[in-house]
Amino acid sequence: MNFFETQHLTKRFGGLIAVNDLSFGVEEGEIFGLIGPNGSGKTTVFNLITGSYPITSGTIQFKNHRLNGLATWKICKLGVGRTFQVVKPLRRMTVLDNVIASAFNHTGSLHEARDKALQALEFCDLIEKKDYPAKGLTIGDRKRLEITRALATEPALLLLDETMAGLTPQEQTEGVELIRKIRDAGITIIIVEHIMHVIMSICDRILCINYGQEIASGLPAEVANNQDVIEAYLGKD
Amino acid sequence: MKRISWPTIVVIALLVLFPLVVQSDYYRHIFILSLMWVVIGSAWNLLAGYTGQVSFGHAIFFGTGAYTAGLGVTKLGISAWWGMLLGGPVALLVGLIIGWICFRLRGPYFALATIAIGEIFRLVAIDWRSMTDGMDGILIIQSFRSKLPYYYLALALAIACVFAVYLVLRSKWGYYFVAIREDQDVAETIGISSFRYKSLSLMISSYFTGMAGAFYMNYMAFIDPHVVFSLHDISIMAILVAIIGGVGTLWGPAVGAFIMVWLQEIFRSAFFGLLPQWVSEAHVLVFGLLVIFVIRYLANGIVGDWSKITGDWFKKKQLSYSSSGN
C-alpha cells in the first residue's frame, strides 16, 4: 500500500466534473508534482484531500487512515499540512503568533508551542521577522509564512499550492532550496506549481491532469515530452 | 507568567478604597453598575472581540442568569444567592445549545440568529406567566441595606472576569480563538476544530454574563423580561461598552463600561437636573453619535487607539511649540 493514495477520486460541482476518476499514489519521502493548465482541477484535488470539499466518489487513503468524510482539522491532526495558493496570513497577529497558533496542533503548552514555532521560523529563515504583524509582510514572506505555519503543525505529508507564484527568480531559487530541505527533514510533499523549471528540477515524479483527468504521469522528463501534455498546455496546431 | 503590572494594582487598589472614601450611596450605585458592565462587556469581548463571533444576544445569558436567581426564590424557595452559583452554569448550558445551533452560521448570519433568539427568550419570559409571572416580574427582598457587600461582590466578579480573559488569552484557547477570528478556513487547516473552540468561547462568555445577571437580581431585587432580556439595554449596551473601550483589547470593555454607565446616568438625570427633563430622552441619540465618532476616529476604541490619542496630542503640542519658536 502506498503512503498516500487516491482511488477513482471524483468531484462534481452540479453538472461540472472538476475531478474525474483520478487515481494516484505517493511514496513516503517523495516530492510529487501535480501539474496541469489553469482550471484543470489541481487546487480542487487539494481541497478534497484536506476535506474542505466533500468528495463525490472515490477514496483517499493516508498511511492507514481513510480521509473521506473527515473534518479538515482532523485531517491536519493526522499529519496532512497545506498552504493556500492565495496566501491567508492571520492578519492581525504577529508572524510568531501565526506560527504558535499552528504549533499547538500536538501540544497544549504555550511554552512548547513557542519553542516549536521558533524552530519552524528558524528552519524557514523567517526568524528575523517574527515580531512583524503578518499583514505587513511582502508577498515572498507571506508565502514563506504559509509554509512555516503548515510545517509547525508537524505534518508527515505537506501540500504546497503554488508557493512560487509571484516570486522573483532569486526568491524562487531560495524556495526550491527550502522545499528540498523540508523533504530532507523527512516530510513527503505534493506540490502544485506552474513554473516549469521549478517543478522539473525538484519533483521525483509528476502527474499531469486536464479537465480533472490524468493525461500523463511518470518521471519529469517523460511527462515534459509527452505529446498530450504539450497539447494541453500549448494547444494543437 | 508575567507579573501583574503596576497600573493594574493601582486601579484595583483605588477601586477597593473607593466605597470607603465615598459614602454616597448614589456614587456607589453607579460604580456597582459600572463593575457589573465590566463583566458583561469583557465576556462579550471574549466571544466577539477575540473569537470574531459577534453576538447581538447577550441579554439571553444575562436574563437567564437573573431568572435563575429569581425563580430559585419564587419556585424553589431558596435564597437568590444560589443564583450566583447556578446562574453561570445555567447560562453556560443555554450558550452551549445556542452555539450548537448557530455556529453553523458565519459572520452577519450568526449575529442575526442571536438577535432572533434573544427576542424569543424575551417573549417566552413575558408569555410563560405560570413560570415567570410575565410582566409582573420577580420581586425579592434585598439581603443587605448597605451597598458595600454588593460593591465588593461586583468588584470581585469584574476582577475575576478580566483575569479569566487574561488567562485564556495566554493559553492555547486564546491563540485558537484569535486564529478563528482572523480566518476560520485557515484555523481548520492548522488543526483547530472551529466549532469546538467557538463553543468554548461562547461557554466562558455566557457563564460570566449569567453570573452578572444573577448578581443583578440580587442587587436590584426586581427584574422583569423587558429589563433583563432587553435588546437595546443589555445586548446592544454590551456591544457599545466594548466598542467604546476597544474591541479585542483586554482593558477596553472595562474602560467602556465606566464611560457608558456614567454617560447613561448623566443623561438619565438630565445632567443632574441642571438641564430640562427632555434631555434625558436624548441619551440614545448621544450614544449613536458617540459610536459614530469612535468608529470614524478611533476604530479600535479608546484603549486600542490610546497611543493614537496621546500621540496625536503630543504631536499637536510639538507643532505649536515649533511654530511659536519660529
Side-chain angles (χ1 to χ4, degrees), chain B residues 210-222:
Chain B
M211 290 258 281
F215 170 80
Y216 185 86
M217 176 78 255
N218 276 287
Y219 175 56
M220 299 301 278
F222 175 75

Side-chain angles (χ1 to χ4, degrees), chain A:
Chain A
M1 193 176 65
N2 275 314
F3 176 71
F4 174 86
E5 196 172 72
T6 72
Q7 266 171 3
H8 309 294
L9 187 62
T10 300
K11 175 67 191 175
R12 275 172 205 275
F13 293 108
L16 177 84
I17 303 179
V19 177
N20 192 355
D21 196 25
L22 196 62
S23 302
F24 65 95
V26 179
E27 284 162 32
E28 191 164 9
E30 206 175 20
I31 298 181
F32 186 88
L34 184 58
I35 64 169
N38 286 327
S40 59
K42 305 180 296 289
T43 298
T44 305
V45 171
F46 274 13
N47 283 332
L48 294 176
I49 297 172
T50 59
S52 303
Y53 297 156
I55 295 165
T56 306
S57 65
T59 61
I60 299 176
Q61 192 91 19
F62 170 62
K63 294 204 271 191
N64 43 9
H65 307 284
R66 232 175 109 110
L67 301 188
N68 298 37
L70 288 185
T72 304
W73 65 272
K74 277 187 187 149
I75 291 171
C76 173
K77 285 260 187 287
L78 291 176
V80 180
R82 85 168 286 185
T83 68
F84 287 96
Q85 178 181 5
V86 180
V87 290
K88 296 182 173 188
L90 304 173
R91 294 171 56 83
R92 286 175 292 175
M93 293 169 92
T94 65
V95 169
L96 178 60
D97 284 346
N98 262 265
V99 185
I100 289 179
S102 57
F104 274 120
N105 198 28
H106 292 297
T107 175
S109 128
L110 174 58
H111 190 74
E112 222 173 291
R114 203 184 137 83
D115 284 348
K116 285 184 185 185
L118 288 170
Q119 268 174 23
L121 285 164
E122 191 86 56
F123 187 88
C124 295
D125 210 12
L126 202 58
I127 192 83
E128 278 151 38
K129 299 189 173 145
K130 71 179 165 64
D131 296 323
Y132 283 36
K135 63 180 171 186
L137 293 180
T138 62
I139 183 67
D141 285 337
R142 284 181 189 208
K143 296 263 183 184
R144 214 167 255 269
L145 176 58
E146 282 283 323
I147 298 174
T148 316
R149 203 171 54 194
L151 280 179
T153 65
E154 301 177 317
L157 173 68
L158 181 60
L159 313 178
L160 298 174
D161 196 351
E162 295 207 29
T163 43
M164 303 287 181
L167 302 190
T168 64
Q170 167 69 22
E171 287 170 329
Q172 283 175 18
T173 313
E174 289 165 6
V176 168
E177 276 168 30
L178 178 59
I179 291 169
R180 287 217 176 94
K181 213 164 90 174
I182 294 169
R183 192 260 304 269
D184 293 343
I187 297 169
T188 308
I189 294 171
I190 303 179
I191 179 169
V192 162
E193 195 55 78
H194 267 305
I195 302 168
M196 276 307 139
H197 72 87
V198 167
I199 212 99
M200 291 300 156
S201 65
I202 58 174
C203 289
D204 298 307
R205 284 188 307 135
I206 291 177
L207 169 70
C208 180
I209 62 174
N210 198 12
Y211 301 110
Q213 276 178 307
E214 172 177 336
I215 54 177
S217 69
L219 300 173
E222 294 169 9
V223 173
N225 296 319
N226 183 297
Q227 201 53 40
D228 291 334
V229 174
I230 294 167
E231 274 174 19
Y233 270 90
L234 301 176
K236 262 192 267 196
D237 297 330

Side-chain angles (χ1 to χ4, degrees), chain B residues 193-220:
Chain B
S193 163
S194 55
F195 182 77
R196 178 184 298 170
Y197 283 92
K198 285 193 287 191
S199 299
L200 276 171
S201 176
L202 176 59
M203 282 157 69
I204 301 169
S205 185
S206 56
Y207 183 87
F208 278 105
T209 310
M211 290 258 281
F215 170 80
Y216 185 86
M217 176 78 255
N218 276 287
Y219 175 56
M220 299 301 278

Side-chain angles (χ1 to χ4, degrees), chain B residues 28-37 216 219-220 261:
Chain B
R28 284 175 175 178
H29 172 69
I30 302 298
F31 266 64
I32 291 170
L33 288 185
S34 300
L35 289 167
M36 187 188 84
W37 278 103
Y216 185 86
Y219 175 56
M220 299 301 278
V261 171

